[in-house]
Amino acid sequence: MAPLVSGFLLAVLFSANCNVITSSDQMCMEKEANKTYNCENLGLREIPDTLSNTTEFLEFAFNFLPTIQATTFSRLIYLIFLDLTRCQINWIHEDTFKSHHQLNTIVLTGNPLIFMAETSLNGPKSLKHLFLIQTGISNLEFIPVHNLENLESLYLGSNHISSIKLPENFSAQNLKVLDFENNAIHYLSNKDMNALEQATNLSLNFNGNDIKSIETGAFHSKVFRSLNFGGTFDLSIIIKGLQNSTTHSLWLGAYEDTENQDLTPAMLEGLCEMSVESINLQKHHFSGLSSTTFQCFTRLRELDLTAAHLQELPSGIEGMNSLKKLVLNINNFDQLCQINAASFPSLTDLYIKGNLKKLDLGAGCLEKLENLRRLDLSHSEIEASDCCNLALRNLVHLQYLNLSYNMPIGLQSQAFKECPKLEILDLAFTHLHISASQSPFQDLRLLQTLNLSHCRVDTGNQHLLEGLLDLRHLNLQGNSFQDGSISKTNLLQTVGSLETLILSSCELLSIDQQAFHSLRNISHIDLSHNSLTGNSIDALNHLKGIYLNLAANSISIIPPHLLPILSQQSTINLSHNPLDCTCSNFHFITWYKENLQKLEGSEETVCANPPPLKGVKLHEVKLSCGITTVGIFFLVIFFLLFTILLSFSVKFFFRWKYQHL
Amino acid sequence: MKGFTAAFLIWTLIFLNGGGGQAWPTHTACKDGSLEVLYQSCDPLQDFGFSIEQCSKQLKSNLNIRFGIILRENIRQLYLDITLFTKEEPIFSYSYPVCEEDLPKFSFCGRRKGEQIYYAGPANNPGFEIPQGEYQVLLKLYNENYSTVACANATVICS
């Protein structure tokens, strides 16, 4: 009988244990107290009682609500945002959101909707965003229109819609986004398009529909914010169909997995008949590329030819005087001059990122681009032994230059003399060859941000950063210092205006107490991922109110005299350090608990020593150093016993002595 | 008494299994004379379907693949990490952008959380010959917030 009873008890114990686990599994995550909850992936069949009545943002995706009705959310009347993605909803009954006056967004993506009642969306005073993506809709009459007059965006992607004809009494006057992505729309008629006339500044998305025909005049004198016809097989249909329309941006790109006709000059002729500011033609092939291909691009302000299999742009393109932004990423240029930059004299932004061949910068290839402000030449296998004055000749207004992720580049003194107005210079992951005591950034008086991470710069060069009078942000991540130490005299002494300094992953072992003494304006120092010990904190003693990241270093003990330095900073991260949780670090641990509000990453700030406390979060450690009450108790007992023993032995000694007298 | 013990045993077995969370089944992505590719979803939330059209030691470029999954995240930005292991030691790792804000390479880029995706088309891979042996490959698809979109533990057996 006894084993039976114990077995039963064990079973009860087990089930109790498991129940606790399952119920804690079903807890929603509170992201903002009483306001924002995430209950995703919990298989819930109703709104849990644990949610506050004042919930405003509720992420409830991937649960199980076959029917939603007036009682389902009735308790949460302050809802603003409700995500019901893939909750297996079949039915949305009458007055489901009747009392939700503040509701502004409803997400119903991926639900197998069978029917929505006429009044199912009534209630919200200003319903602005409605997501009905992949809900099996084949006819737009399915959507109850009674309360949609405030709607700003309507997402209808991945359904079985073949006609964009909106219900008769649908009011589109506030509509800004109408998304028909990935449906079966092949034909756009005048009548269908006229229903959208009330909307102003509309973004219309037909990506992935393969339009086969547009009725003549369907877009006549209509104005759009953006139009997307991505993945359409025959672009000439689109371009012809858009006659006499006006749109800010037109996306006509192709994809890896879609078939497309080559673009011919004849196909693009229709662009002369419309007004468009920005065109994207990514991944297309041009056949017979010549200067006439672009004859109808004259009013364009932005042109994106990413991955368009280009080896050069034809010379002598005329009339593209107003082009401001040109994107030529992921093409096949051998030399920068092959883009024939002179055709675009007004260009302010030029992107040639990720060129598929080794790009030769040449000499003065961009010199006609006097107005150029931004230039991105990253990821293009650029190699140059003496950069960059020849290559960037005459770019006097350049403010942003990105040369990151390239092959090794050699820089001499005053390497950027041609672009004195540079404000941001990004050289990350490009190895820089700079001869000793040269100052390549000498003339960059306006430079505010310099990224030299993983550039393998010679940090022993005291003159490296000379001339950077206004530098605010410097990233030196992944560079090494001699002997793993930043000494009293170092390259930072010439950049006193610095606000942000990143020295993470620099293999640092120590920092001299005086190393940062010239940095008076600093507010952010990142020293993470080094091998610094507690003593390096001394270098920050003159700084106040900064963000200090010391994560992933070798800090174990922080001596008491350094704690005031930490106290005067605003945020500190000490996570992933081998922190000592013995009494020798008692002062620091006490300080840590008193200053928790200043500490970042406290969940990952754990003890490494002594072994029993390994992995315990620092703020949970209870240390009692000095003599405890238990200790005192034992000491008293010991003392008592000792006295008794002593008196007995004294007695015994005298008795023995007198007996032998 | 015996009955009780048996019932108890079965009960604990069922409960422990249910509480412990089971692994997804191992599927065959392709199998041919010389090459076999097996995979198992390592996303605790869901399984997914994947197959490769041609399976040979001499891997062709731009292979056709089929892929079916429910998205648990938006994929306006989508990245693929591939890590190759031998004896549980990573020996090679590679990251590839599938969808980017300024270059959505595939037609499914930009799809949203909750959508079911079926993709049948080219994988845009380079061709190469697989040396003989058995390889463990970890594939991870994630978005700009490092949220997992798909995760697979694959085994490639080349004989």
Side-chain angles (χ1 to χ4, degrees):
Chain A
M1 194 59 207
L4 178 72
V5 174
S6 59
F8 176 72
L9 269 176
L10 213 67
V12 169
L13 259 173
F14 255 95
S15 64
N17 198 12
C18 291
N19 278 337
V20 169
I21 288 167
T22 40
S23 68
S24 71
D25 264 352
Q26 293 197 339
M27 287 291 273
C28 297
M29 207 162 61
E30 191 175 42
K31 291 166 91 179
E32 193 185 347
N34 299 327
K35 262 190 179 177
T36 307
Y37 292 89
N38 184 324
C39 303
E40 292 186 355
N41 303 305
L42 297 174
L44 301 170
R45 286 161 181 267
E46 57 180 14
I47 299 297
D49 298 332
T50 48
L51 296 196
S52 159
N53 284 343
T54 56
T55 304
E56 291 178 4
F57 299 88
L58 180 58
E59 293 170 331
F60 207 74
F62 305 103
N63 285 300
F64 186 66
L65 299 170
T67 304
I68 56 173
Q69 53 201 336
T71 51
T72 315
F73 309 105
S74 56
R75 197 166 60 82
L76 310 178
I77 55 166
Y78 299 106
L79 279 178
I80 293 174
F81 172 93
L82 179 60
D83 183 354
L84 296 171
T85 296
R86 222 160 254 277
C87 282
Q88 303 184 44
I89 301 168
N90 292 138
W91 308 99
I92 306 180
H93 287 322
E94 299 82 354
D95 300 323
T96 299
F97 302 108
K98 191 176 69 179
S99 40
H100 302 84
H101 301 312
Q102 298 184 43
L103 197 59
N104 142 327
T105 305
I106 306 177
V107 185
L108 291 164
T109 301
N111 284 295
L113 299 180
I114 296 171
F115 190 73
M116 291 175 82
E118 281 296 308
T119 58
S120 60
L121 296 177
N122 286 13
K125 291 238 166 73
S126 172
L127 184 62
K128 290 202 168 133
H129 312 285
L130 183 59
F131 292 78
L132 289 166
I133 299 166
Q134 211 169 64
T135 48
I137 297 176
S138 54
N139 188 332
L140 294 180
E141 301 282 347
F142 183 88
I143 309 162
V145 293
H146 295 303
N147 192 27
L148 301 183
E149 56 273 9
N150 295 307
L151 211 61
E152 288 179 9
S153 47
L154 179 57
Y155 294 89
L156 294 164
S158 302
N159 282 304
H160 311 294
I161 299 165
S162 55
S163 160
I164 66 156
K165 189 175 183 300
L166 290 160
E168 292 272 312
N169 39 2
F170 179 86
S171 153
Q173 61 189 23
N174 289 311
L175 210 58
K176 299 278 175 254
V177 176
L178 185 54
D179 192 325
F180 285 109
E181 197 169 338
N182 196 36
N183 272 292
I185 300 160
H186 302 309
Y187 176 62
L188 297 172
S189 72
N190 283 333
K191 210 173 149 213
D192 296 350
M193 289 305 300
N194 285 341
L196 295 172
E197 236 167 15
Q198 301 160 289
T200 50
N201 227 358
L202 185 67
S203 292
L204 198 49
N205 188 353
F206 292 115
N207 188 39
N209 275 287
D210 199 16
I211 306 286
K212 294 199 163 74
S213 152
I214 297 176
E215 194 177 347
T216 315
F219 285 83
H220 192 91
S221 55
K222 295 194 174 64
V223 182
F224 297 92
R225 163 114 198 111
S226 76
L227 290 170
N228 185 330
F229 289 95
T232 304
F233 175 72
D234 187 355
L235 278 191
S236 55
I237 293 166
I238 308 296
I239 293 169
K240 213 179 282 168
L242 293 179
Q243 258 187 27
N244 286 316
S245 68
T246 303
T247 176
H248 174 74
S249 87
L250 179 60
W251 209 93
L252 299 173
Y255 299 106
E256 204 70 51
D257 55 307
T258 53
E259 273 187 58
N260 295 86
Q261 281 189 340
D262 285 2
L263 294 180
T264 60
M267 279 166 89
L268 298 168
E269 265 170 26
L271 289 172
C272 286
E273 311 290 317
M274 59 189 284
S275 166
V276 55
E277 282 185 22
S278 159
I279 287 190
N280 188 315
L281 291 167
Q282 75 154 35
K283 283 195 163 285
H284 276 288
H285 287 267
F286 287 91
S287 81
L289 193 66
S290 70
S291 59
T292 55
T293 307
F294 299 100
Q295 62 184 354
C296 288
F297 286 63
T298 48
R299 280 175 291 176
L300 217 56
R301 295 176 80 81
E302 296 181 13
L303 176 60
D304 191 325
L305 296 171
T306 297
H309 315 92
L310 299 171
Q311 287 175 334
E312 63 174 341
L313 282 182
S315 58
I317 299 174
E318 278 172 28
M320 273 172 95
N321 294 329
S322 50
L323 197 73
K324 297 272 182 208
K325 179 177 170 182
L326 178 61
V327 183
L328 296 169
N329 299 341
I330 320 188
N331 280 299
N332 299 292
F333 303 111
D334 286 308
Q335 229 223 9
L336 196 51
C337 287
Q338 286 170 332
I339 71 161
N340 282 304
S343 308
F344 321 103
S346 305
L347 219 54
T348 59
D349 295 50
L350 177 61
Y351 297 82
I352 308 176
K353 192 169 78 173
N355 196 53
L356 296 168
K357 287 183 187 164
K358 198 167 174 170
L359 184 67
D360 178 8
L361 290 179
C365 295
L366 307 177
E367 65 186 342
K368 295 281 162 58
L369 303 181
E370 280 172 18
N371 298 304
L372 203 66
R373 301 284 196 276
R374 296 173 66 85
L375 176 61
D376 189 342
L377 294 167
S378 60
H379 295 271
S380 291
E381 291 186 59
I382 292 168
E383 195 171 6
S385 55
D386 183 9
C387 201
C388 298
N389 286 326
L390 213 52
L392 304 178
R393 194 156 68 203
N394 205 27
L395 298 181
V396 284
H397 290 108
L398 201 67
Q399 291 169 347
Y400 168 89
L401 175 62
N402 191 344
L403 280 167
S404 63
Y405 296 92
N406 277 305
M407 307 290 272
I409 284 178
L411 298 177
Q412 308 285 331
S413 266
Q414 301 181 308
F416 299 93
K417 207 175 168 182
E418 292 284 329
C419 14
K421 290 192 177 160
L422 267 187
E423 289 174 14
I424 302 172
L425 176 57
D426 191 346
L427 292 161
F429 289 90
T430 297
H431 297 162
L432 300 179
H433 295 308
I434 303 161
S435 317
S437 66
Q438 299 264 312
S439 313
F441 312 112
Q442 187 82 59
D443 298 287
L444 302 178
R445 286 181 189 179
L446 302 174
L447 197 75
Q448 297 195 0
T449 304
L450 177 61
N451 189 348
L452 292 175
S453 59
H454 302 274
C455 285
R456 298 195 191 165
V457 293
D458 171 19
T459 51
N461 177 359
Q462 308 286 322
H463 308 283
L464 184 72
L465 303 174
E466 228 161 57
L468 295 170
L469 301 177
D470 200 24
L471 193 71
R472 316 262 174 92
H473 312 282
L474 174 64
N475 190 342
L476 283 169
Q477 181 178 4
N479 289 289
S480 54
F481 287 78
Q482 204 184 357
D483 304 324
S485 162
I486 303 183
S487 56
K488 196 174 167 181
T489 49
N490 59 59
L491 77 172
L492 299 171
Q493 275 161 342
T494 56
V495 282
S497 55
L498 225 51
E499 290 168 8
T500 308
L501 174 62
I502 298 168
L503 286 167
S504 57
S505 307
C506 288
E507 297 168 11
L508 290 173
L509 298 166
S510 68
I511 300 171
D512 186 89
Q513 202 197 328
Q514 299 287 310
F516 296 151
H517 68 106
S518 59
L519 306 177
R520 296 282 164 193
N521 297 331
I522 204 100
S523 60
H524 182 118
I525 297 188
D526 186 349
L527 294 165
S528 62
H529 297 274
N530 284 301
S531 302
L532 296 170
T533 57
N535 290 324
S536 302
I537 293 168
D538 221 0
L540 309 164
N541 61 16
H542 64 294
L543 301 173
K544 285 189 176 66
I546 67 164
Y547 167 87
L548 174 61
N549 192 347
L550 283 165
N553 273 290
S554 304
I555 300 170
S556 61
I557 290 176
I558 298 182
H561 73 275
L562 296 178
L563 292 176
I565 300 174
L566 291 183
S567 293
Q568 67 201 26
Q569 314 309 345
S570 65
T571 309
I572 303 150
N573 191 332
L574 286 163
S575 62
H576 303 282
N577 272 294
L579 292 165
D580 190 297
C581 295
T582 63
C583 285
S584 44
N585 210 13
F586 178 73
H587 292 284
F588 166 65
I589 291 168
T590 317
W591 174 89
Y592 185 90
K593 288 187 197 170
E594 285 166 358
N595 292 279
L596 263 182
Q597 78 287 348
K598 283 185 184 215
L599 288 145
E600 188 188 67
S602 57
E603 293 296 307
E604 286 83 40
T605 312
V606 297
C607 305
N609 195 40
L613 286 177
K614 196 174 177 184
V616 176
K617 286 168 203 152
L618 214 63
H619 60 87
E620 287 170 358
V621 168
K622 288 194 179 75
L623 266 194
S624 32
C625 300
I627 298 174
T628 62
T629 30
V630 184
I632 292 168
F633 176 76
F634 277 107
L635 211 68
V636 169
I637 297 281
F638 175 78
F639 188 70
L640 267 172
L641 282 174
F642 184 76
T643 336
I644 292 165
L645 199 76
L646 195 74
S647 61
F648 268 107
S649 43
V650 167
K651 225 186 236 171
F652 189 76
F653 174 75
F654 278 109
R655 205 177 281 165
W656 181 79
K657 209 170 179 185
Y658 283 114
Q659 270 175 4
H660 289 83
L661 266 175
Chain B
M1 181 63 215
K2 260 186 189 166
F4 257 105
T5 323
F8 173 66
L9 264 176
I10 290 165
W11 178 87
T12 40
L13 268 175
I14 293 168
F15 225 108
L16 288 179
N17 200 17
Q22 73 239 35
W24 299 109
T26 301
H27 309 288
T28 309
C30 75
K31 190 176 176 177
D32 227 324
S34 57
L35 189 69
E36 190 177 355
V37 181
L38 305 167
Y39 75 93
Q40 183 185 33
S41 168
C42 40
D43 178 356
L45 290 173
Q46 64 175 15
D47 202 353
F48 69 91
F50 177 68
S51 78
I52 307 169
E53 197 181 59
Q54 276 168 326
C55 209
S56 82
K57 228 164 115 163
Q58 188 66 51
L59 204 69
K60 286 193 180 133
S61 65
N62 230 2
L63 279 171
N64 276 321
I65 57 163
R66 299 194 310 125
F67 186 65
I69 195 171
I70 289 171
L71 293 178
R72 290 186 177 258
E73 302 291 339
N74 291 343
I75 53 166
R76 210 175 160 75
Q77 291 180 47
L78 183 69
Y79 304 91
L80 172 67
D81 276 6
I82 302 174
T83 315
L84 183 66
F85 291 84
T86 50
K87 291 170 191 152
E88 292 176 4
E89 285 291 316
I91 54 165
F92 170 77
S93 130
Y94 179 70
S95 189
Y96 172 79
V98 183
C99 304
E100 289 171 290
E101 209 75 54
D102 58 0
L103 178 60
K105 287 196 185 78
F106 294 90
S107 58
F108 56 74
C109 293
R111 299 282 200 91
R112 286 170 191 269
K113 181 175 95 175
E115 281 197 67
Q116 171 195 322
I117 280 194
Y118 173 71
Y119 175 77
N124 195 22
N125 61 298
F128 58 91
E129 192 181 323
I130 305 170
Q132 214 165 31
E134 191 176 318
Y135 309 92
Q136 303 297 322
V137 187
L138 176 66
L139 296 115
K140 268 186 183 169
L141 280 168
Y142 56 93
N143 72 359
E144 66 272 27
N145 306 319
Y146 294 98
S147 305
T148 303
V149 172
C151 173
N153 271 317
T155 309
V156 180
I157 304 160
C158 187
S159 52

